[in-house]
């Protein structure tokens, strides 16, 4: 039943979008509301032990300050993943480079800006008038 409902919903969105295409405004860009930060160690895991107490304290400060929204450990054991409450990759980079692992060049981050789903703007267009 759930699969059927999902299929019907997906079909309806696609069919409706096709009918509204002529009247739909150009999809506008969306603001960056979060940054996904995927960290990877640049040194062997055993080399970070002495830095970890201060790394954890400083990371908790970012969390309590609202800059880190969610945090996860990578299942491969090679780093962490943060969903950050920042509006630019530059801000995320600046914050992460100040963490002890960043200062000591023991971890680097791949940063990806995230924003609201742009295709949802199609749903805001008025349906085409029927003749």
């Amino acid at each position: 039943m759930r699969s059927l409902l999902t299929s019907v919903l997906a079909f309806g969105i696609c069919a409706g979008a096709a009918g509204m295409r002529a009247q739909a405004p150009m999809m506008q860009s969306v603001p960056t509301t979060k940054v996904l930060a995927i960290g990877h160690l640049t040194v062997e895991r055993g080399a970070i032990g002495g830095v970890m107490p201060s790394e954890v304290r400083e990371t908790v400060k970012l969390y309590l300050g609202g800059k880190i929204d969610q945090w996860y450990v990578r299942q491969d054991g090679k780093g962490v993943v943060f969903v950050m409450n920042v509006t630019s990759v530059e801000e995320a980079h600046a914050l992460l480079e100040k963490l002890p692992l960043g200062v000591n060049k023991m971890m680097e981050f791949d940063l990806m800006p995230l924003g609201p789903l742009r295709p949802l703007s199609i749903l805001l267009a008025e349906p085409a008038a029927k003749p």
Side-chain angles (χ1 to χ4, degrees):
M1 181 68 173
R2 185 171 161 176
S3 177
L4 177 63
L5 180 60
T6 302
S7 297
V8 169
L9 180 60
F11 177 76
I13 289 173
C14 291
M20 290 186 277
R21 216 166 280 184
Q23 290 186 336
M26 286 289 280
M27 279 197 275
Q28 299 174 1
S29 63
V30 296
T32 297
T33 57
K34 305 249 187 225
V35 170
L36 179 66
I38 302 171
H40 56 277
L41 292 172
T42 59
V43 296
E44 292 297 318
R45 190 169 165 74
I48 65 171
V51 178
M52 286 310 294
S54 58
E55 177 75 12
V56 171
R57 278 191 303 278
E58 295 304 313
T59 303
V60 169
K61 287 178 186 176
L62 287 178
Y63 173 76
L64 292 175
K67 293 298 183 181
I68 294 178
D69 184 46
Q70 298 174 45
W71 49 0
Y72 301 94
V73 65
R74 290 178 43 172
Q75 291 292 4
D76 62 7
K78 296 181 181 178
V80 295
V81 177
F82 300 142
V83 177
M84 300 186 69
N85 289 322
V86 295
T87 57
S88 72
V89 167
E90 294 78 18
E91 182 182 2
H93 179 75
L95 291 169
L96 296 169
E97 285 297 307
K98 291 178 185 171
L99 292 174
L101 289 176
V103 169
N104 290 293
K105 307 294 185 212
M106 296 176 150
M107 182 172 283
E108 293 178 349
F109 284 87
D110 295 321
L111 303 172
M112 183 182 308
L114 305 174
L117 288 172
R118 186 175 307 151
L120 289 177
S121 65
I122 293 170
L123 298 173
L124 299 177
E126 294 295 325
K130 293 185 180 181

